[in-house]
Amino acid sequence: MDFLDEPFPDVGTYEDFHTIDWLREKSRDTDRHRKITSKSKESLWELIKSLLDAWSGWVVMLLIGLLSGTLAGVIDLAVDWMTDLKEGVCLSAFWYSHEQCCWTSNETTFDDRDKCPQWQKWAELMTGHAEGAGAYVLNYFLYILWALLFSFLAVSLVRVFAPYACGSGIPEIKTILSGFIIRGYLGKWTLLIKTVTLVLAVSSGLSLGKEGPLVHVACCCGNLFCSLFSKYSKNEGKRREVLSAAAAAGVSVAFGAPIGGVLFSLEEVSYYFPLKTLWRSFFAALVAAFTLRSINPFGNSRLVLFYVEYHTPWYMAELVPFILLGVFGGLWGTLFIRANIAWCRRRKTTQLGKYPVMEVIAVTGITALLAYPNPYTRRSTSELISELFNDCGALESSQLCDYINNPNMSRPVDDIPDRPAGPGVYNALWQLALALVFKIVITIFTFGMKIPSGLFIPSMAVGAIAGRIVGIAVEQMAYHHHDWIIFKSWCRPGADCVTPGLYAMVGALRPLTETRCDGVPSGGVTRMTVSLVVIMFELTGGLEYIVPLMAAAVTSKWVADAFGKEGIYESHIQLNGYPYLDVRDEFTHRTLATDVMRPRRNDPPLALLTQDATTVEDVETLIKDTDYNGFPVVVSRESERLIGFVQRRDLTLAIKNARQKQDGVVSSSVVYFTEDAPQLPASNPQPLKLRRVLNLSPFTVTDHTPMETVVDIFRKLGLRQCLVTRSGRLLGIITKKDVLRHMAQMMNQDPESIMFN
Amino acid sequence: MDFLDEPFPDVGTYEDFHTIDWLREKSRDTDRHRKITSKSKESLWELIKSLLDAWSGWVVMLLIGLLSGTLAGVIDLAVDWMTDLKEGVCLSAFWYSHEQCCWTSNETTFDDRDKCPQWQKWAELMTGHAEGAGAYVLNYFLYILWALLFSFLAVSLVRVFAPYACGSGIPEIKTILSGFIIRGYLGKWTLLIKTVTLVLAVSSGLSLGKEGPLVHVACCCGNLFCSLFSKYSKNEGKRREVLSAAAAAGVSVAFGAPIGGVLFSLEEVSYYFPLKTLWRSFFAALVAAFTLRSINPFGNSRLVLFYVEYHTPWYMAELVPFILLGVFGGLWGTLFIRANIAWCRRRKTTQLGKYPVMEVIAVTGITALLAYPNPYTRRSTSELISELFNDCGALESSQLCDYINNPNMSRPVDDIPDRPAGPGVYNALWQLALALVFKIVITIFTFGMKIPSGLFIPSMAVGAIAGRIVGIAVEQMAYHHHDWIIFKSWCRPGADCVTPGLYAMVGALRPLTETRCDGVPSGGVTRMTVSLVVIMFELTGGLEYIVPLMAAAVTSKWVADAFGKEGIYESHIQLNGYPYLDVRDEFTHRTLATDVMRPRRNDPPLALLTQDATTVEDVETLIKDTDYNGFPVVVSRESERLIGFVQRRDLTLAIKNARQKQDGVVSSSVVYFTEDAPQLPASNPQPLKLRRVLNLSPFTVTDHTPMETVVDIFRKLGLRQCLVTRSGRLLGIITKKDVLRHMAQMMNQDPESIMFN
């Protein structure tokens, strides 16, 4: 009797920090599917079950879309409210943000909005004095206090409940989706804590964004709903299909770009999927986007983060400043990456790493202290960005639009930009310059702390500030020097020629292309991914401004590349050394499989089993002595003809099981991997047949196969290991880890940086 | 000495109608690349050459974008002009289309445009009488004459110069991109002739569209520019990278949807590509789109085919008619496919096929004869569609907008749709109904004739007509029965509730999802691809109407599926039996490699070579007797240990070469595939060493490998053949053809329908 006919618990599952075997997962799912389809013919109930099973995928997508959309909306609202809470409170309803509070009052432009009576700053509320030094100091003090409170809560929650909730999470998600197991990284607790602490961290005024973490949150949702259906919870491969769709939903709500989200999940995080999942991802992304829009946190029924609409086109000559912006972007990108990585190293290595809470508190304190006095750093970063994007319209009354009107013009048409800048603008320029420096410095120290932190919004802000400054400069130059040859052609007096807001946008969208922060794709002609361009499309709406954007993006990337190719995100992944096999980098070295396989020249011979000549004891010792994930099985040590591969874990479980359940199985009984064990005399101990756990179709390549092909195979088929043969003889084995090591070596990196297997 | 050290001409090329080996192509390219990089260190000139090589990809993309964009623009303009030429001519400049001719005159609305003096109908021009029966008949007659002339030219050009130019071309392109060689299909002649005949065919008024053929044209451009760079012209794999980008550019200009184009090429036509090509495709698509826009054939500076903007939202209750539209779509789709395929079969089998010219002439004659009297079929299909999409605005004076104005309303605000329909509308309804029937019938006979023909526009037109009819019906119902429970909630008197144009759009965009005509992806939840949804996005601009569109699309697909899963395009591919391995259909059968491999049970043994025991003569006889594309090489017939695989073509070439160049090589000399031939006594003839042409890393699977996995491998790695082994012994071989045959069998189709290998 073969007791293995009924499968025993968790055969074919994986341990923590292990790589999954995609092919195996896939065929397991196909078996499952076959069973269900065959059963479904039996009874109506089975039929219904099979239908439910077929639809479960869509149900999961729907749920993911709904939940992640809702969470995103809630987070946005909460952040708005708490950010304003640092400055004051709404009397009519304390749960209103400043803007909501003042919706009632008809004045909603920037300087008048403070006039709305419902909204009171803390000082005014406590002392009754709205103005004066005292009030200012009190507000200042309370602002810092709130900030500290929020960030303290955030960091301690993370530390106590969910250490995995910190950072942006994209690198880990990429690794998980590539077929790696990190238990609890997408767990319920992480979801809950990350959502809460994200709100706290953002509203504490720290220089960080919420885009990256939102993707992590969405993935947690995905994982959560997987557990509802055994189809997904029991199959790591299928689970990852859902997760990549969830990532799409995350990007969709983070940037308000559903298509971009799908492409992102396709290019960046998806690893080994049939294209059909694309459509599911799209569905999830759409649902999420709709949910977010129906919650409508931005007050306008628009999805996109920053909606911009300019009335003036751009001119060829403007490409020069745009490209300059690109150069600046490249420089600051490189600076940032270098500094940030150096700082993270220091944190890892020195005492500093031991006091994350103190660190967060300190940084928050400094941030708040320096941010408050400057109106452009005081308000939330996204508010800042949208003001910088703004085209100075008729009703626009922000400091940035304080232009001197030509006397011969009537008031309402003051949106013609051909005007000299007023004192307000120059004042704003100074403040912006300060804000720029401040942001650059503080972000370096902020990113990588033990709180949820995205890098997208901050680097966008830096770009936007720089852009606006340049924009105003060009504008004024154009105004004062209409006669200059470069302006003559397109910028006649009174003509509508330069839009500073456009410069801000060009500057701001560059980070998308330049750092890999938040896993937003790295730029550069060679590595720039379509998803980011699509996100740009969706953010800016249409082809109109794609050329300037691209120009800036490409230059910035080239500049950045000149100083070193590493994106922030790659550097961080290296810092953690995840076994991530990037689908996009090309392997073009001349090495062969034989150079990579183990055992090497002077290693001990390959640990293998024979199909009918090993005893249970031998197997057990082999398992004890080695830590390999599996062992090839050969006909005999002489012929070395390969017949299959058996997973360590399955082997262990099988033997344990047999020893318990199957009487007569002792240490000396022989293990058979053959079709049927020979009839032994009764004296011999009962043989143990393990063909059931033997993988009869192990993947093999010849020793002459170029590594290039091997890498290709590992990527495309998502293998865990691959056996090397020469003319039918088993020579060695190549595991994913070996491949990664080898690639690292070829790129002159420390091969030991890949820690896990 | 081994003469093979210098490679001999066209080793590693393919014959016509053969499948390429992707892995091989790839490694060949890598070698090339390595050579160049190593050389580039030698001299400055080499460095420059290497840089040029690195950039050639981008140059090709640029060129493709420019050319295909220009061609698309030119085609659009030419079609406009020639379509109008059938009715009349512009006196001021005969090369103006009707619209261009009347741009000068300030009246450009539909009924007034005929008033512009510059434009004269033929009758008026010849006889001087614009009105009257005589003039009408004359115009009618000339209309038909022109149509016949155009179509005759088209069909004869195709027949004489480029037989490959007919049809939409997408199926062939998919097959070519999947790694199949069809010489001349993308040749210069095809490009030229297809462009010209496409214009002729469309403007002859036949019921066909230009979208599909445009993709073919773009691919021809791609192929054209490949020949400029040996990097692409000499490597079939690299060439296909370019072609898939070209396809993206094609879709981008055909639908004015760059992103959609990229996704389309990714999902539909791309087969085995690194994601990095995605970005190149995007670049090509963008350039093409820009070029097209700067040519600006549609007169508005927009890219999209039909720009629509409605002021009213849609209401939940409207989903009912939308879904009804979907049902109609599904039904007509099925009907169309069945009828069209039946007709094509008849054409293939009966005498009919022998007279393609006559057929075209006849169909054109009938089309023109029936089309002219009805204003909605007389004008070009795209004009018709855009009128149907139109929302009845204040200045809109087409027959469709002839509503009776409430007396108590002033003229200008007549765009409030809550009005009773006037006689014009009812009249239009009749004409539309007739047009609907006419289009449905004629399209069945048109698609598949020996001229360039796309199916997208016609099926869109059918949908749009049906949609508009339903829309008006609902609108009037809503007007006359405000009190009905369904209308009460959302359609109060005077309220702006139903937009007939939206119905037309919903109806029109459904074909995108329902047939696979023009290779526009098939719909249905399981098969619906993201690219089509993105195209929808880009055509309609934004999320606003995606829900109704989806509702209609999904229903229509379900209805269609209920009547048989086959899309028109799949049916046509089957009709021709291309060896196309669809990436998207799942293979879930339980068969193993051993069931598929050859030799079968009672076949002759596998034709193979031994590494050191075959003479040149044996090899030559083997080549003569068999028609296999290659032969496995084993150590010895006894051990059957596989050492490599040699391509038939390479073998032939090598021996031919050796016999010519290498003296001492005679029929009796032994062929060696070993590292080094043993030292033979002088008496023996000189041995022939062919290790150079031996592929030392053939792909092997075990006989127990599930076919599911094998199919996966063939798809993902783009294999041409794969060897089957058991415990190191060579058992048999599986070619792509075998896989396709097997899959066909499993789907209960005739395995012999796959003709080529």
Side-chain angles (χ1 to χ4, degrees):
Chain A
M1 68 87 167
D2 183 353
F3 77 102
L4 279 166
D5 284 344
E6 90 272 0
F8 44 84
D10 57 348
V11 62
T13 60
Y14 302 91
E15 285 152 22
D16 204 356
F17 297 119
H18 272 245
T19 325
I20 71 172
D21 181 337
W22 287 93
L23 272 182
R24 185 146 150 261
E25 295 301 299
K26 189 170 181 201
S27 57
R28 273 181 56 212
D29 181 60
T30 325
D31 293 339
R32 214 193 95 278
H33 191 258
R34 275 202 215 92
K35 273 206 204 72
I36 287 174
T37 9
S38 55
K39 258 192 185 174
S40 65
K41 293 175 183 58
E42 291 164 7
S43 74
L44 184 65
W45 172 234
E46 290 296 342
L47 182 66
I48 293 164
K49 261 164 73 183
S50 74
L51 287 178
L52 286 177
D53 177 80
W55 277 93
S56 56
W58 294 102
V59 177
V60 172
M61 293 303 148
L62 180 67
L63 293 172
I64 291 173
L66 289 173
L67 184 54
S68 50
T70 318
L71 283 178
V74 171
I75 289 173
D76 287 334
L77 292 173
V79 166
D80 277 5
W81 176 62
M82 289 175 72
T83 311
D84 294 343
L85 195 63
K86 289 186 301 183
E87 296 195 46
V89 68
C90 187
L91 297 181
S92 53
F94 72 90
W95 59 86
Y96 274 173
S97 75
H98 191 159
E99 199 176 346
Q100 290 164 320
C101 190
C102 299
W103 268 344
T104 49
S105 73
N106 43 17
E107 295 291 357
T108 53
T109 55
F110 268 97
D111 55 357
D112 300 354
R113 54 180 274 182
D114 300 343
K115 290 209 185 67
C116 90
Q118 301 302 331
W119 181 261
Q120 290 210 341
K121 293 200 168 177
W122 290 114
E124 191 176 359
L125 192 66
M126 297 178 182
T127 64
H129 305 298
E131 306 306 324
Y136 184 85
V137 172
L138 185 54
N139 283 328
Y140 198 166
F141 176 70
L142 286 166
Y143 181 89
I144 299 175
L145 219 59
W146 279 110
L148 290 173
L149 175 64
F150 291 159
S151 65
F152 174 73
L153 276 175
V155 66
S156 22
L157 279 172
V158 168
R159 276 189 69 67
V160 178
F161 296 106
Y164 279 144
C166 68
S168 97
I170 302 276
E172 288 78 6
I173 286 166
K174 285 189 75 158
T175 319
I176 290 175
L177 279 163
S178 81
F180 190 66
I181 309 253
I182 308 180
R183 298 221 186 287
Y185 195 85
L186 300 175
K188 295 184 190 55
W189 272 111
T190 318
L191 172 58
L192 181 64
I193 298 300
K194 187 136 195 175
T195 315
V196 175
T197 51
L198 180 57
V199 173
L200 288 164
V202 173
S203 37
S204 75
L206 279 165
S207 169
L208 45 79
K210 60 178 170 36
E211 281 60 29
L214 266 178
V215 177
H216 185 182
V217 167
C219 286
C220 293
C221 301
N223 196 34
L224 183 71
F225 291 122
C226 277
S227 53
L228 297 183
F229 301 90
S230 66
K231 176 181 182 179
Y232 294 107
S233 57
K234 286 219 173 65
N235 186 311
E236 291 296 334
K238 297 294 284 181
R239 181 196 296 274
R240 273 149 186 77
E241 282 183 18
V242 174
L243 290 183
S244 76
V251 175
S252 159
V253 288
F255 299 106
I259 306 178
V262 176
L263 270 173
F264 175 82
S265 91
L266 177 76
E267 283 187 301
E268 281 294 302
V269 293
S270 296
Y271 195 74
Y272 164 74
F273 293 130
L275 275 171
K276 75 158 202 244
T277 52
L278 209 60
W279 170 238
R280 290 195 176 169
S281 314
F282 192 77
F283 179 67
L286 266 189
V287 174
F290 269 116
T291 322
L292 178 58
R293 191 171 69 162
S294 53
I295 294 175
N296 188 9
F298 303 124
N300 56 10
S301 75
R302 277 198 209 83
L303 275 170
V304 298
L305 215 50
F306 309 103
Y307 180 78
V308 282
E309 198 174 331
Y310 303 123
H311 317 91
T312 53
W314 57 275
Y315 302 88
M316 272 301 156
E318 286 188 292
L319 279 179
V320 179
F322 290 149
I323 286 170
L324 284 181
L325 278 176
V327 174
F328 163 78
L331 292 175
W332 119 258
T334 323
L335 168 79
F336 173 79
I337 293 168
R338 294 263 171 97
N340 179 256
I341 290 297
W343 182 247
C344 291
R345 282 245 165 64
R346 154 168 248 95
R347 188 185 289 125
K348 254 186 142 68
T349 49
T350 61
Q351 288 292 319
L352 185 62
K354 302 215 171 26
Y355 310 106
V357 182
M358 287 315 301
E359 185 192 1
V360 172
I361 294 293
V363 174
T364 319
I366 297 164
T367 313
L369 197 66
L370 297 176
Y372 190 83
N374 184 337
Y376 292 103
T377 48
R378 188 192 303 178
R379 69 170 59 119
S380 81
T381 320
S382 35
E383 249 179 55
L384 167 64
I385 295 174
S386 48
E387 181 176 351
L388 291 170
F389 279 9
N390 240 313
D391 194 0
C392 284
L395 284 173
E396 187 55 72
S397 58
S398 103
Q399 203 183 15
L400 276 170
C401 298
D402 168 26
Y403 290 93
I404 298 157
N405 294 302
N406 314 16
N408 57 3
M409 278 191 189
S410 56
R411 184 90 184 79
V413 292
D414 68 344
D415 59 347
I416 292 171
D418 186 49
R419 290 169 297 160
V425 173
Y426 288 111
N427 185 6
L429 279 180
W430 278 115
Q431 292 171 336
L432 283 178
L434 290 175
L436 183 61
V437 177
F438 167 70
K439 283 268 177 206
I440 289 179
V441 175
I442 204 69
T443 312
I444 291 170
F445 293 98
T446 309
F447 189 66
M449 292 199 301
K450 287 265 165 293
I451 46 171
S453 59
L455 190 41
F456 179 70
I457 284 287
S459 37
M460 216 171 150
V462 170
I465 297 172
R468 188 80 189 205
I469 293 174
V470 173
I472 293 173
V474 173
E475 181 195 41
Q476 290 310 308
M477 226 192 297
Y479 173 79
H480 291 296
H481 307 284
H482 284 303
D483 50 351
W484 283 9
I485 191 71
I486 46 167
F487 297 123
K488 259 213 179 86
S489 54
W490 51 283
C491 205
R492 298 171 316 288
D496 192 354
C497 53
V498 181
T499 319
L502 175 60
Y503 287 72
M505 189 179 79
V506 170
L509 287 185
R510 181 201 48 72
L512 262 173
T513 71
E514 187 268 310
T515 55
R516 265 178 164 265
C517 54
D518 290 357
V520 172
S522 140
V525 180
T526 53
R527 299 291 303 272
M528 189 184 296
T529 50
V530 175
S531 50
L532 89 91
V533 187
V534 175
I535 292 178
M536 280 189 181
F537 257 89
E538 297 190 80
L539 284 183
T540 60
L543 285 164
E544 203 46 67
Y545 300 109
I546 206 74
V547 171
L549 289 171
M550 284 297 121
V554 173
T555 10
S556 78
K557 183 57 188 179
W558 279 340
V559 173
D561 285 352
F563 290 99
K565 290 226 175 305
E566 290 270 292
I568 178 86
Y569 148 70
E570 280 136 331
S571 322
H572 272 271
I573 227 178
Q574 256 194 43
L575 227 63
N576 308 332
Y578 295 114
Y580 179 70
L581 184 51
D582 194 330
V583 195
R584 261 176 294 108
D585 33 344
E586 295 275 300
F587 183 87
T588 57
H589 303 280
R590 231 204 181 92
T591 47
L592 296 179
T594 174
D595 309 327
V596 181
M597 72 178 188
R598 286 172 307 165
R600 298 287 161 78
R601 303 265 162 303
N602 34 33
D603 285 1
L606 186 64
L608 44 71
L609 300 168
T610 55
Q611 64 179 358
D612 54 7
T614 15
T615 65
V616 171
E617 196 168 13
D618 304 339
V619 176
E620 282 169 335
T621 43
L622 186 65
I623 291 172
K624 198 150 78 282
D625 301 348
T626 65
D627 59 351
Y628 303 128
N629 287 319
F631 310 93
V633 180
V634 295
V635 175
S636 68
R637 293 194 179 280
E638 300 65 50
S639 72
E640 286 183 329
R641 290 171 180 274
L642 178 74
I643 66 164
F645 189 85
V646 58
Q647 297 286 338
R648 176 206 192 83
R649 191 179 169 80
D650 298 354
L651 202 55
T652 331
L653 287 164
I655 290 176
K656 199 164 113 282
N657 243 283
R659 276 180 173 282
Q660 290 167 1
K661 298 214 187 99
Q662 203 175 12
D663 49 1
V665 171
V666 294
S667 305
S668 61
S669 49
V670 182
V671 177
Y672 283 97
F673 292 102
T674 48
E675 288 282 4
D676 36 18
Q679 285 313 316
L680 299 162
S683 62
N684 299 40
Q686 162 123 42
L688 172 57
K689 290 194 290 171
L690 292 184
R691 194 180 180 81
R692 174 70 178 276
V693 295
L694 180 66
N695 171 10
L696 284 166
S697 55
F699 228 84
T700 60
V701 296
T702 66
D703 56 344
H704 279 86
T705 316
M707 268 317 281
E708 178 197 351
T709 313
V710 177
V711 171
D712 216 38
I713 295 169
F714 267 90
R715 275 187 196 139
K716 294 227 173 91
L717 305 179
L719 294 183
R720 190 182 187 180
Q721 73 281 319
C722 169
L723 298 166
V724 182
T725 60
R726 174 192 294 150
S727 59
R729 283 182 190 284
L730 177 65
L731 286 187
I733 185 168
I734 300 179
T735 63
K736 192 171 183 182
K737 190 181 174 186
D738 298 323
V739 174
L740 287 162
R741 275 232 188 81
H742 182 66
M743 289 176 82
Q745 261 168 346
M746 287 292 138
M747 296 170 206
N748 315 322
Q749 299 164 352
D750 166 26
E752 291 320 313
S753 64
I754 288 110
M755 289 191 290
F756 309 118
N757 177 19
Chain B
M1 72 85 175
D2 184 352
F3 77 100
L4 278 168
D5 285 341
E6 89 273 1
F8 44 84
D10 58 351
V11 61
T13 59
Y14 303 90
E15 286 151 24
D16 204 358
F17 297 119
H18 273 243
T19 322
I20 71 171
D21 182 336
W22 287 92
L23 272 181
R24 185 146 149 260
E25 294 303 301
K26 190 173 182 199
S27 56
R28 274 180 56 213
D29 181 61
T30 324
D31 293 338
R32 212 192 96 281
H33 190 261
R34 272 200 218 95
K35 273 204 205 71
I36 288 174
T37 12
S38 54
K39 259 193 188 170
S40 65
K41 292 172 185 59
E42 290 164 10
S43 73
L44 183 66
W45 171 234
E46 290 296 341
L47 182 66
I48 293 163
K49 262 165 73 183
S50 74
L51 287 178
L52 284 179
D53 177 80
W55 278 93
S56 56
W58 294 102
V59 177
V60 171
M61 292 305 148
L62 180 66
L63 292 172
I64 291 173
L66 289 173
L67 183 54
S68 49
T70 317
L71 283 177
V74 170
I75 289 174
D76 286 335
L77 291 174
V79 166
D80 277 6
W81 175 63
M82 289 175 70
T83 311
D84 293 343
L85 195 62
K86 289 186 299 183
E87 295 194 47
V89 68
C90 186
L91 296 182
S92 53
F94 73 90
W95 59 86
Y96 275 174
S97 74
H98 191 157
E99 201 173 346
Q100 290 163 321
C101 190
C102 299
W103 269 344
T104 49
S105 73
N106 44 17
E107 294 290 359
T108 55
T109 55
F110 269 97
D111 55 357
D112 299 353
R113 53 181 273 180
D114 299 345
K115 289 207 185 65
C116 90
Q118 301 302 332
W119 180 262
Q120 289 210 339
K121 293 199 169 182
W122 291 114
E124 191 175 359
L125 193 64
M126 296 176 179
T127 63
H129 304 297
E131 306 307 320
Y136 184 86
V137 173
L138 184 54
N139 283 327
Y140 197 167
F141 177 70
L142 285 166
Y143 181 90
I144 299 175
L145 220 58
W146 278 110
L148 290 173
L149 174 64
F150 291 159
S151 65
F152 174 73
L153 277 174
V155 67
S156 27
L157 279 171
V158 168
R159 275 188 70 69
V160 178
F161 295 105
Y164 279 144
C166 68
S168 100
I170 303 276
E172 289 77 7
I173 285 166
K174 285 189 76 159
T175 320
I176 290 175
L177 279 162
S178 81
F180 190 65
I181 309 256
I182 308 180
R183 298 222 183 286
Y185 194 85
L186 300 174
K188 296 181 190 55
W189 272 111
T190 318
L191 171 58
L192 181 64
I193 298 300
K194 186 137 195 173
T195 315
V196 175
T197 51
L198 180 57
V199 173
L200 287 165
V202 173
S203 36
S204 75
L206 279 165
S207 168
L208 45 78
K210 61 177 169 38
E211 280 60 29
L214 266 179
V215 178
H216 184 182
V217 167
C219 285
C220 293
C221 301
N223 197 35
L224 184 71
F225 291 122
C226 278
S227 53
L228 297 183
F229 300 90
S230 66
K231 177 180 180 179
Y232 294 108
S233 56
K234 287 220 170 64
N235 186 312
E236 291 296 335
K238 296 294 283 182
R239 182 197 295 272
R240 274 151 185 75
E241 282 184 18
V242 174
L243 290 182
S244 76
V251 176
S252 159
V253 288
F255 300 104
I259 306 179
V262 176
L263 270 173
F264 176 82
S265 92
L266 177 77
E267 283 186 301
E268 282 295 303
V269 292
S270 296
Y271 194 73
Y272 163 75
F273 292 130
L275 274 172
K276 75 158 202 240
T277 52
L278 208 61
W279 170 237
R280 290 199 175 165
S281 317
F282 191 79
F283 178 66
L286 265 189
V287 174
F290 269 116
T291 321
L292 178 58
R293 192 172 66 164
S294 52
I295 295 175
N296 188 8
F298 303 125
N300 56 10
S301 74
R302 281 200 205 79
L303 275 170
V304 298
L305 214 50
F306 308 103
Y307 180 79
V308 284
E309 198 174 332
Y310 303 124
H311 316 91
T312 53
W314 57 275
Y315 303 87
M316 271 302 157
E318 287 187 291
L319 278 179
V320 179
F322 291 149
I323 286 172
L324 284 180
L325 277 176
V327 174
F328 163 78
L331 291 176
W332 119 256
T334 324
L335 167 78
F336 173 79
I337 293 168
R338 295 263 171 95
N340 178 257
I341 290 298
W343 182 248
C344 291
R345 282 242 166 66
R346 158 168 246 96
R347 187 184 292 126
K348 254 185 142 65
T349 49
T350 62
Q351 288 292 318
L352 185 62
K354 300 215 171 29
Y355 311 105
V357 182
M358 286 315 303
E359 184 190 3
V360 173
I361 295 293
V363 174
T364 318
I366 297 164
T367 313
L369 198 67
L370 297 176
Y372 190 84
N374 185 336
Y376 292 101
T377 49
R378 187 192 305 177
R379 70 169 61 116
S380 80
T381 319
S382 35
E383 249 179 54
L384 167 64
I385 294 174
S386 48
E387 180 176 353
L388 291 171
F389 279 9
N390 240 313
D391 193 1
C392 284
L395 283 173
E396 187 55 73
S397 58
S398 97
Q399 201 184 18
L400 276 170
C401 298
D402 167 28
Y403 289 93
I404 299 158
N405 295 300
N406 315 17
N408 56 3
M409 274 192 192
S410 58
R411 182 92 184 74
V413 293
D414 69 344
D415 59 346
I416 293 173
D418 185 48
R419 292 168 295 161
V425 174
Y426 287 112
N427 187 3
L429 278 182
W430 277 116
Q431 292 171 335
L432 282 178
L434 289 174
L436 183 62
V437 178
F438 167 69
K439 284 268 175 206
I440 289 180
V441 175
I442 206 70
T443 312
I444 291 171
F445 293 96
T446 310
F447 188 68
M449 291 197 304
K450 287 266 165 289
I451 46 171
S453 59
L455 189 42
F456 179 69
I457 285 286
S459 38
M460 222 175 145
V462 171
I465 297 173
R468 188 79 188 205
I469 293 174
V470 173
I472 293 174
V474 173
E475 181 195 44
Q476 289 311 310
M477 223 192 297
Y479 173 79
H480 292 294
H481 308 283
H482 285 302
D483 50 348
W484 282 11
I485 193 70
I486 47 165
F487 297 122
K488 258 213 179 82
S489 54
W490 52 283
C491 204
R492 300 170 316 286
D496 190 354
C497 52
V498 182
T499 318
L502 175 60
Y503 287 72
M505 191 179 76
V506 170
L509 287 185
R510 183 202 46 69
L512 262 173
T513 70
E514 187 267 311
T515 56
R516 264 177 166 265
C517 54
D518 289 354
V520 173
S522 138
V525 181
T526 53
R527 297 292 301 273
M528 190 183 298
T529 50
V530 175
S531 49
L532 87 92
V533 187
V534 175
I535 292 178
M536 280 189 182
F537 257 89
E538 297 191 80
L539 283 182
T540 60
L543 286 163
E544 203 46 67
Y545 300 111
I546 206 72
V547 170
L549 288 171
M550 283 297 122
V554 173
T555 11
S556 79
K557 184 56 187 179
W558 279 341
V559 173
D561 285 352
F563 290 98
K565 289 223 175 305
E566 290 270 295
I568 177 87
Y569 151 69
E570 281 137 331
S571 322
H572 272 270
I573 229 180
Q574 255 193 45
L575 224 63
N576 309 333
Y578 295 116
Y580 179 70
L581 184 52
D582 195 331
V583 194
R584 262 175 295 105
D585 29 322
E586 296 273 304
F587 182 86
T588 57
H589 303 281
R590 238 211 178 84
T591 47
L592 296 178
T594 174
D595 309 327
V596 180
M597 71 176 190
R598 287 170 305 162
R600 300 287 165 77
R601 299 271 164 298
N602 34 30
D603 285 0
L606 185 63
L608 45 72
L609 301 167
T610 56
Q611 64 180 358
D612 54 9
T614 18
T615 65
V616 171
E617 195 170 12
D618 304 341
V619 176
E620 282 169 334
T621 41
L622 186 64
I623 291 172
K624 199 151 77 280
D625 301 349
T626 65
D627 59 351
Y628 302 127
N629 287 318
F631 309 95
V633 179
V634 294
V635 175
S636 68
R637 294 194 177 281
E638 299 67 48
S639 73
E640 285 182 330
R641 289 172 180 273
L642 178 73
I643 67 162
F645 190 84
V646 58
Q647 298 287 339
R648 175 207 192 83
R649 190 177 170 80
D650 299 354
L651 203 56
T652 333
L653 286 165
I655 291 176
K656 200 163 110 282
N657 241 285
R659 276 182 176 282
Q660 291 164 2
K661 296 215 189 95
Q662 204 175 11
D663 48 1
V665 171
V666 292
S667 304
S668 62
S669 48
V670 182
V671 176
Y672 282 96
F673 293 100
T674 47
E675 289 281 4
D676 35 18
Q679 286 314 316
L680 299 161
S683 62
N684 301 40
Q686 161 120 43
L688 173 57
K689 290 195 290 171
L690 291 184
R691 193 180 180 79
R692 174 72 180 276
V693 295
L694 181 66
N695 171 10
L696 284 165
S697 54
F699 226 84
T700 60
V701 295
T702 68
D703 57 342
H704 279 84
T705 316
M707 268 317 280
E708 178 197 354
T709 312
V710 177
V711 171
D712 216 37
I713 295 169
F714 267 88
R715 273 185 199 144
K716 293 228 172 93
L717 304 179
L719 294 183
R720 189 181 188 182
Q721 72 281 319
C722 171
L723 298 167
V724 183
T725 60
R726 175 192 291 151
S727 58
R729 283 182 190 283
L730 177 65
L731 288 187
I733 186 168
I734 299 179
T735 65
K736 193 171 182 181
K737 190 180 174 187
D738 299 324
V739 173
L740 287 161
R741 276 235 187 80
H742 181 68
M743 288 177 83
Q745 258 169 346
M746 287 292 137
M747 295 171 206
N748 317 322
Q749 298 162 353
D750 168 26
E752 291 319 312
S753 65
I754 289 106
M755 289 187 289
F756 313 113
N757 175 18

